[in-house]
Amino acid sequence: MNIIKIYRDAFSGLNQDIWLITVVMFVNRLGTLILPFITLYTTQEIGWTKPQAGIAVACFGAGSLAGSYLGGWLTDKIGYYKVFLFSLIGGGLAYYMLQFFTSYLALSLGLFVASTIADLLRPALYTGIRFFTNDNTQTRAVSLLRMAFNLGFIIGPAIGGVIIALTSYKWIFILDAFTCWGAAIMTYFLIKDYSHKQFENKEEEIDKPIEVKNPYRDKPYLLFLFYSMLMLIGFFQILFTVPLYLEEIAHFSTDQIGFFFGINGALVFILEMPLVQYVDKRKIIMKAMVAGSVMIGFGLLALISQSYILLSLAVFLLLSGVGEIVNFPFISTTALKRATDQNSGKMLAMTSVMFSISLIIAPPLGTMILEHYGYTVLWVIMAALCFISAIGLQSVRQYFKTV
């Protein structure tokens, strides 16, 4: 009964717009097919070395960085809704074209362009959330969206692994494109456009001498983003070097790797809303984020043991999954709470930029360490980054008392 009440309380108070955009994002995230398999695709199908694959995937991260910055700027200029739609339509086209690129330069450039267009969506999405929610529902709205992401991440990679095993890699590019276009169609017909509120608020304030916080000079927030980035570099190994570990050390097939990602997504899907509700209600967000970074670090260290490989993977899934839950939603929530109508695009873009920089650094760093020093050194270094992140987040806690 208590568990039912926790879930009921977690979902209460969220309006119809949030539920609709959650469905749209679920459809979009069903296409999470390329990223979990890109290192396997480039090393096994095309024949690249691991460092080459890491650098190419870093181009995806660089595109994410460019898209996040450009998306924030465009959101403040033309409104979140237009940016959101363009990102889904253009991103689908870019993903579809990736199947035709096999040379190192062409695929690397293609990943950059696809990611740039696709990640215009992030600042636009979270800016839109500000108009669908209030201070009491923002964190839960972000978590509900993440539930949609994770449900898509349960189904998408599992389907992708089976499709690759039965057909070929090209179909993951095609399906990723069609999920983007499906989400765009649903957005156009189902989601209300509140972009006018952005500009109405600005017009109301145009003659008022208000002080708009410059997010680029918000030192506590910049430190917060930096320490979060260290944790993300470690965590994102789940996308880049963990699939190689599963194939080379655990001897998993592609459909088993997809199932592994499905278990991770299921864990997060089941536990996120009640855990987030618990943390948010007790105002212990920063404490939870510190604990989450520590858990992700210990999860990575669990992979060092290869004697009981399935047990090691189970510990990794549990610790990294719970660590993700008590970190990722609150990174976005912190940005939402510090943002204003005048700087929301830039503030939320900075969060997306931090994620993107992590995606640039994580693949080449991880694959290069793996190539030269092996898995044990890789997990130790990545765990160390998570522990440093925890220490850093603890040091800036005093500046985030409201969260």
Side-chain angles (χ1 to χ4, degrees):
M1 183 63 74
N2 287 334
I3 294 177
I4 295 174
K5 185 178 184 302
I6 289 171
Y7 273 91
R8 187 177 66 233
D9 291 344
F11 290 110
S12 65
L14 298 175
N15 63 29
Q16 184 183 33
D17 293 313
I18 285 295
W19 286 99
L20 287 173
I21 203 167
T22 298
V23 173
V24 169
M25 293 314 300
F26 166 67
V27 172
N28 177 242
R29 291 297 164 161
L30 277 175
T32 308
L33 303 170
I34 295 175
L35 206 54
F37 295 102
I38 192 66
T39 50
L40 291 174
Y41 172 66
T42 52
T43 56
Q44 304 301 321
E45 183 79 1
I46 303 180
W48 295 357
T49 65
K50 290 172 187 173
Q52 281 181 318
I55 292 171
V57 177
C59 291
F60 186 94
S64 179
L65 173 62
S68 297
Y69 183 82
L70 183 59
W73 182 79
L74 284 173
T75 296
D76 284 341
K77 291 294 182 183
I78 65 174
Y80 73 89
Y81 193 83
K82 292 177 182 176
V83 178
F84 194 89
L85 267 180
F86 174 78
S87 174
L88 290 172
I89 297 169
L93 179 61
Y95 283 136
Y96 183 84
M97 295 302 297
L98 286 177
Q99 64 181 300
F100 303 111
F101 304 141
T102 55
S103 73
Y104 187 70
L105 179 60
L107 183 55
S108 298
L109 184 60
L111 287 169
F112 174 82
V113 172
S115 182
T116 297
I117 299 172
D119 273 16
L120 294 172
L121 180 145
R122 286 191 192 184
L125 171 64
Y126 288 109
T127 296
I129 287 176
R130 297 190 70 246
F131 300 104
F132 300 152
T133 61
N134 55 46
D135 287 341
N136 294 325
T137 58
Q138 278 180 351
T139 299
R140 286 183 291 134
V142 170
S143 294
L144 183 62
L145 281 169
R146 280 184 41 77
M147 284 187 71
F149 297 162
N150 284 300
L151 185 58
F153 203 67
I154 295 169
I155 300 171
I159 293 174
V162 172
I163 287 173
I164 293 167
L166 295 178
T167 57
S168 67
Y169 276 97
K170 82 169 186 175
W171 282 99
I172 64 175
F173 301 109
I174 295 171
L175 289 175
D176 208 330
F178 275 92
T179 56
C180 288
W181 293 331
I185 292 170
M186 293 176 68
T187 298
Y188 184 78
F189 287 105
L190 297 178
I191 306 300
K192 296 176 183 176
D193 181 4
Y194 292 106
S195 295
H196 60 279
K197 291 188 177 181
Q198 287 178 259
F199 305 107
E200 283 175 0
N201 290 341
K202 287 178 181 178
E203 288 171 7
E204 289 171 7
E205 300 292 348
I206 196 166
D207 295 323
K208 297 180 182 179
I210 61 168
E211 180 183 351
V212 178
K213 183 188 294 184
N214 185 341
Y216 303 115
R217 295 180 181 176
D218 187 347
K219 291 183 180 178
Y221 186 62
L222 291 174
L223 285 171
F224 168 80
L225 291 179
F226 174 74
Y227 293 130
S228 296
M229 183 186 71
L230 296 182
M231 175 275 298
L232 288 172
I233 292 170
F235 177 82
F236 280 149
Q237 297 308 312
I238 194 172
L239 294 174
F240 307 117
T241 54
V242 169
L244 297 172
Y245 178 86
L246 293 174
E247 184 192 46
E248 296 176 355
I249 305 300
H251 305 295
F252 279 18
S253 60
T254 53
D255 54 335
Q256 289 173 323
I257 293 172
F259 182 68
F260 172 87
F261 282 112
I263 294 174
N264 173 261
L267 176 69
V268 176
F269 178 77
I270 293 168
L271 295 179
E272 177 153 333
M273 282 301 279
L275 274 177
V276 165
Q277 170 81 347
Y278 177 85
V279 171
D280 194 37
K281 214 170 183 180
R282 285 157 182 77
K283 303 297 182 185
I284 54 172
I285 289 177
M286 291 301 292
K287 287 183 180 179
M289 292 187 70
V290 170
S293 293
V294 172
M295 282 188 280
I296 293 171
F298 278 116
L300 289 163
L301 290 178
L303 296 176
I304 292 174
S305 175
Q306 298 177 12
S307 301
Y308 302 95
I309 191 71
L310 292 180
L311 178 60
S312 298
L313 289 173
V315 172
F316 168 74
L317 278 175
L318 178 62
L319 292 178
S320 63
V322 175
E324 175 188 353
I325 289 169
V326 294
N327 262 287
F328 284 36
F330 299 122
I331 295 173
S332 300
T333 300
T334 302
L336 284 168
K337 289 183 181 297
R338 292 178 85 85
T340 66
D341 291 334
Q342 289 73 34
N343 70 4
S344 59
K346 293 185 181 70
M347 181 71 81
L348 292 159
M350 287 174 65
T351 304
S352 297
V353 164
M354 180 271 295
F355 273 89
S356 303
I357 292 174
S358 304
L359 282 170
I360 294 172
I361 297 172
L365 180 62
T367 52
M368 286 178 186
I369 293 172
L370 175 59
E371 182 79 5
H372 292 96
Y373 302 104
Y375 284 106
T376 298
V377 174
L378 172 64
W379 304 140
V380 169
I381 291 175
M382 293 303 156
L385 290 179
C386 292
F387 297 146
I388 294 170
S389 169
I391 295 169
L393 290 172
Q394 177 65 24
S395 72
V396 298
R397 262 184 62 193
Q398 60 180 309
Y399 301 106
F400 296 88
K401 294 186 184 297
T402 58
V403 295

